[in-house]
Structures are given as C-alpha cells and as structure tokens.
C-alpha cells in the first residue's frame, strides 16, 4: 500500500489520467489506499476477450482446481487437489 499519486480511468467514451490529490481520494478521507488483490476462482463469459459475466469460487483459495475427464466417460468434471 501507499499514497496513490496517479490513476488512469478508462471507459467506453475515452480515458483520462487523474493526478490531483483531492480527485485521487475517490470520495475517501485520504489518498492512502491500495488496490485489492485480483479475484480468484472461475470466470465465465459468453464472448472471447470480454469481461467475466459470472464469477464464482470452488473449494478453498489455497486449493488447486483441476478440470478433466477423470473417469473416461467423455465429460469433463471439476476436481480439487488439496494439501
């Protein structure tokens, strides 16, 4: 974490870079904050390269989630490797 000194905001109509400390607070009392870590889990989308429309967790954050045809029936299933 630390003090944010610059932020780039992007949207469908364009983008801008914010550098004024007051604007960087985004309505908070201070400009001291940090970005949350990226989400983990499954991200599903109906289009290639698009944003995830559905996000869900499976198992625990420390688990390895594997997908494959484990029993040879021609259908992929989800498995967790823990430990």
């Amino acid at each position: 974490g630390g003090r944010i000194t610059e932020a780039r905001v992007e949207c469908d109509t364009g983008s801008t870079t914010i550098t004024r400390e007051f604007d960087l607070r985004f309505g908070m009392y201070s400009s001291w904050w940090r970005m949350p870590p990226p989400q983990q889990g499954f991200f599903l989308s109906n289009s290639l390269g698009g944003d995830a429309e559905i996000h869900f967790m499976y198992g625990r954050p420390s688990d390895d989630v594997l997908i494959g045809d484990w029993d040879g029936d021609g259908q992929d299933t989800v498995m967790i490797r823990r430990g």
Side-chain angles (χ1 to χ4, degrees):
R3 187 176 301 272
I4 302 298
T5 59
E6 184 175 290
R8 182 173 176 85
V9 179
E10 296 186 16
C11 64
D12 293 339
T13 58
S15 64
T16 187
T17 301
I18 300 171
T19 57
R20 285 185 7 174
E21 182 177 353
F22 177 79
D23 295 332
L24 288 167
R25 292 182 188 180
F26 297 105
M28 297 181 287
Y29 293 114
S30 171
S31 59
W32 285 87
W33 57 282
R34 62 186 167 116
M35 296 295 295
Q39 292 182 332
Q40 297 177 343
F42 288 91
F43 300 86
L44 303 178
S45 177
N46 287 322
S47 60
L48 291 175
D51 292 330
E53 297 162 356
I54 300 170
H55 171 251
F56 63 94
M57 291 295 296
Y58 190 83
R60 299 176 187 158
S62 60
D63 292 340
D64 289 325
V65 178
L66 307 169
I67 300 172
D69 181 7
W70 310 114
D71 57 7
D73 67 354
Q75 300 231 346
D76 288 342
T77 53
V78 179
M79 176 185 85
I80 292 178
R81 186 178 78 182
R82 190 173 284 162

